[in-house]
Amino acid sequence: MLNINEAELKKSIVANVAEQLLREDEDLSDLVAKEVKKRIDKIFDERVTSQIQKAIDETINGSFEREYRRVNQWGDQEGPSTTLRKELEKTVTAYWNCKVNPSDGKPSSSTYSTVTRAEWLMTKICAEDFTKQMQTSVNAVTGALKDGLRNQLAQQMDAMLNGLFHIKSLQDQGKVAKPY
């Protein structure tokens, strides 16, 4: 018979289980630490990114309203104070109100027979739309004319054939479809 000491066996089993749990605990600690770090990084990224974006937006919006004065080549201020928003508005307004040649849209210094760039562009857009609409209408009318001519020719051909031949064909009796 085997001489097994139950107390020693239990003690050995408990020691092995404790050692294994401690080894697994180190692995679990690493996994938990990594997961916590990942979540903290995500929260940090979301919050910091939104705060940075907010700061950038405020800075950009503020810079459009901040007043400044132009300087000449020697650094002396000249002219009245202005803002970027006012300068952009003047530039855009000048662009659209610029007088251009109606045929090609190029700037013109002439006061005779010129239009604003905005008028020229709208005229060009409307003309392109009108051209497309006109082409569609012409295609529809041409197709209807073609179908009408085809029907007219078919009727004339039927009348001529009926005048030449006094026999009812299979087509005349409706047993065979007409090729036209």
Side-chain angles (χ1 to χ4, degrees):
M1 181 150 178
L2 292 172
N3 190 7
I4 297 175
N5 184 349
E6 279 188 39
E8 285 294 319
L9 186 59
K10 286 180 183 177
K11 192 175 181 182
S12 175
I13 290 173
V14 168
N16 281 338
V17 168
E19 187 178 316
Q20 189 174 2
L21 281 175
L22 286 174
R23 268 188 268 137
E24 288 179 6
D25 188 41
E26 288 175 12
D27 293 343
L28 287 175
S29 295
D30 289 343
L31 289 175
V32 168
K34 287 177 184 175
E35 185 63 26
V36 168
K37 183 181 180 329
K38 186 167 72 172
R39 289 185 185 189
I40 289 172
D41 288 346
K42 181 181 176 188
I43 291 170
F44 180 80
D45 184 45
E46 289 171 357
R47 290 187 183 167
V48 169
T49 301
S50 69
Q51 288 179 356
I52 289 172
Q53 188 61 46
K54 183 179 174 184
I56 290 171
D57 291 343
E58 288 173 1
T59 302
I60 290 174
N61 288 334
S63 66
F64 280 109
E65 299 303 329
R66 189 177 310 125
E67 288 195 3
Y68 70 94
R69 287 181 66 188
R70 292 181 185 260
V71 294
N72 62 17
Q73 59 196 10
W74 297 281
D76 298 329
Q77 292 183 343
E78 52 183 34
S81 294
T82 187
T83 64
L84 284 178
R85 187 174 306 283
K86 290 177 186 174
E87 288 298 311
L88 282 171
E89 185 177 327
K90 280 197 294 189
T91 303
V92 169
T93 302
Y95 176 81
W96 287 113
N97 290 332
C98 175
K99 295 293 184 177
V100 297
N101 188 347
S103 61
D104 59 7
K106 292 184 179 177
S108 174
S109 58
S110 171
T111 56
Y112 178 74
S113 183
T114 58
V115 295
T116 65
R117 185 172 276 124
E119 291 171 326
W120 176 79
L121 184 61
M122 287 307 296
T123 303
K124 183 177 176 186
I125 290 170
C126 291
E128 287 172 358
D129 186 51
F130 178 76
T131 301
K132 287 178 188 172
Q133 294 283 342
M134 188 59 96
Q135 184 65 42
T136 302
S137 296
V138 166
N139 288 346
V141 168
T142 304
L145 178 63
K146 183 178 176 182
D147 290 341
L149 286 173
R150 187 176 280 138
N151 289 337
Q152 184 88 21
L153 285 172
Q155 290 172 0
Q156 290 293 330
M157 186 179 287
D158 281 345
M160 286 174 28
L161 288 173
N162 286 338
L164 287 174
F165 301 100
H166 298 291
I167 299 172
K168 292 241 180 215
S169 70
L170 292 175
Q171 287 180 1
D172 293 333
Q173 296 172 24
K175 295 180 179 176
V176 178
K178 293 183 180 183
Y180 49 86

